[in-house]
Structure formats: structure tokens, C-alpha cells
Amino acid sequence: MLQTAFVLSEVVVGLASSSLAVIADAGHNLSDVLALVLAWVATRLVKRRASKGRTYGWKSASILAALVNALSLIFVNGAVAWEALGRFRNPTHVAALPVIVVSLAGVLVNGVSAWLFARGSKADINARAAFLHLASDAAVAAGVAVTGVLIYFTGLTWLDPAASLIVSALVLLSTLSLLRRAVDLAMHAVPPGIDEEKMRDWLASRSGIVAVHDLHVWAMSTTENAMTAHVVMRRMPMGADACELDAALRKAFPVHHVTIQIDPEGSACALEPDYVM
């Protein structure tokens, strides 16, 4: 509610003062609200149980939410940059004082909100997306406030679109890493924090295991990882041995859903070559 009310106040002040920088900040804050809503919806969806048609449940909803958040940041910043270029050709008078006041309020609102998300931003990409949204908006608001002060004392209205371009560029650069990570998760790339070669070596070093093939590691959600592998063993293990391998693997690596197929030594497996998936 606080973010929504602040967005509305920025739109009013931005239109009244003819400040593109303030309107840009309103756009950033609107994307924050959408990011928080998406993150909340994704959190609810990932808790749904698996069903006949969705054997993994809705866990990937959190990955889709992170992807949408990253794309929304890029879209908003691109739109602001385009408008800023137009302002250079057609300068507009900017009322500096309202810009300064509303921007300082933006620093406070977004700074506090970003601090609340900072703790969980390392473990969950959705929390990181929300943190980046809020932190970038706090930076935008600070830049707009400084710009308002400069315009107030110098009367140089071109500083307003110039500040918008600089802030948009900085936010876009910080968003690229988030977008790349979200796309990797959506494409079932190996999640951050897991070295598949180390996992392969770890499995191969276990007693009784001759070889490892068809190893796959991917993210089921932004906080849960899955892996599957075929292990070739000299003798078929007892049930307790298989359970111990599963538990040891979970302890050694950040994986939550483990599926291991045991192949007896000397047997032929169609998935053994590395080029076969």
C-alpha cells in the first residue's frame, strides 16, 4: 500500500512539475509493486502440492516470476531512456522544488523497503529481484533529488533528461545479471553454487561406484534444485546403502530432489555417451 500510494504521488508531482526524472522514478516504483506482487504469487504457487498433470507442482512459477521481473525492469528503463532523448530535442521547464521533496521521500521509502529484502536476496532470485528493484529506485530517487537541486540553482533543464539517461543505464546494467540468471534457470542450466564436475567426481569416489554418466542438475524453483544420474556399481547395493548415498549427496551439495539409477558393471546403457541427453 505504501509503495502504491507513493507511485501515485510521484505521478501527480511529475506531471505537475514536468519532470521526466520524477515520472521515471514513478515507473520504477510501479515495477517494484508488480515485482512484489509477482514474488508473493510465486511464493504461494510453489507451495502447491504436485498433481497428476503437474508432477513437480508449481515450483517453476518462481522462475517465471523472476524472468518477468527482469524483463519489466528493462522495459521501463528503455521507455524512460527513449523519452529522455526526446526531451533533449524539445526542452521542458521543470519545477525543481517539488522534484526535490518527492525524490527525498523516495529515497526513504525505497531504501527502507530494500533493506527489508536484503537478507534473503542471496538465496532466492525473487528476493534478489525485489531487492534490485527497490535499491535501484532508491538510487534513482537520490539522483533525481540531486538533479532537482542543480536545476533549482542553475536553471539548466536539460539536466532532467540527462539524469534519467544515466540512471536508466545504471539500472539496465545491474539488471542484465538478474536476467541472465533467470534465463539460465528457465533453460535448466546448472544452478549457481553447484559445480557439476565436482559432483561427478564426488559420486565416482564413493565406494563401489565404477563410473558416473547421464548426470543432470537443474533448478525446480528459485530455491530448490534437482539432480539425476546413472552410477555404475560393481554390485547392486542394499536399500540402506542407496539411502546413505542419497543423504550424503544432499549434505555435500545444495540439492533437494535426488534420483539415482544404479547400473550393474558391464551392462550397456543407451545414455552413457556424453553427447546423449
Side-chain angles (χ1 to χ4, degrees):
M1 292 297 293
L2 179 61
Q3 286 284 342
T4 303
F6 184 66
V7 168
L8 293 176
S9 67
E10 279 194 309
V11 171
V12 172
V13 173
L15 293 174
S17 62
S18 298
S19 173
L20 176 62
V22 171
I23 294 175
D25 196 27
H28 287 295
N29 279 296
L30 179 59
S31 67
D32 288 343
V33 174
L34 294 176
L36 293 173
V37 171
L38 282 171
W40 180 81
V41 171
T43 301
R44 302 285 294 183
L45 288 176
V46 298
K47 293 179 180 179
R48 287 190 174 186
R49 293 184 177 181
S51 63
K52 183 178 179 181
R54 300 184 187 275
T55 56
Y56 274 129
W58 291 75
K59 293 184 182 297
S60 293
S62 59
I63 297 175
L64 294 178
L67 188 59
V68 171
N69 281 336
L71 291 175
S72 68
L73 266 176
I74 292 175
F75 175 79
V76 170
N77 280 278
V80 169
W82 180 262
E83 179 64 22
L85 292 174
R87 286 289 182 96
F88 281 114
R89 294 190 295 269
N90 301 293
T92 302
H93 172 72
V94 177
L97 193 57
V99 172
I100 298 171
V101 173
V102 76
S103 298
L104 290 177
V107 173
L108 179 62
V109 171
N110 290 301
V112 171
S113 299
W115 175 74
L116 293 176
F117 276 94
R119 179 174 297 180
S121 65
K122 292 183 179 180
D124 187 348
I125 191 175
N126 273 316
R128 179 170 176 75
F131 169 75
L132 284 176
H133 273 276
L134 295 164
S136 67
D137 279 345
V140 169
V144 173
V146 172
T147 301
V149 172
L150 293 175
I151 293 175
Y152 182 82
F153 286 104
T154 66
L156 299 175
T157 55
W158 62 264
L159 289 172
D160 184 67
S164 300
L165 282 176
I166 293 172
V167 172
S168 293
L170 292 174
V171 174
L172 283 172
L173 287 175
S174 67
T175 305
L176 289 179
S177 62
L178 174 65
L179 177 62
R180 183 169 57 251
R181 183 178 175 188
V183 170
D184 282 344
L185 293 180
M187 295 297 292
H188 291 171
V190 177
I194 297 180
D195 187 324
E196 60 179 314
E197 290 304 319
K198 287 185 177 179
M199 181 178 287
R200 187 187 300 273
D201 294 340
W202 183 91
L203 283 169
S205 68
R206 305 296 292 184
S207 177
I209 295 180
V210 178
V212 178
H213 61 268
D214 195 36
L215 173 65
H216 299 282
V217 190
W218 71 97
M220 293 190 299
S221 70
T222 56
T223 57
E224 295 180 74
N225 303 319
M227 69 83 63
T228 61
H230 287 219
V231 296
V232 180
M233 304 193 72
R234 293 189 179 90
R235 63 175 182 81
M236 295 301 289
M238 302 296 290
D241 295 333
C243 291
E244 288 178 4
L245 178 61
D246 181 293
L249 185 63
R250 292 169 184 266
K251 186 176 181 180
F253 299 93
V255 290
H256 309 83
H257 188 97
V258 176
T259 303
I260 295 178
Q261 177 171 315
I262 307 299
D263 294 340
E265 187 177 15
S267 63
C269 180
L271 299 176
E272 185 173 352
D274 290 337
Y275 61 84
V276 177
M277 291 185 292

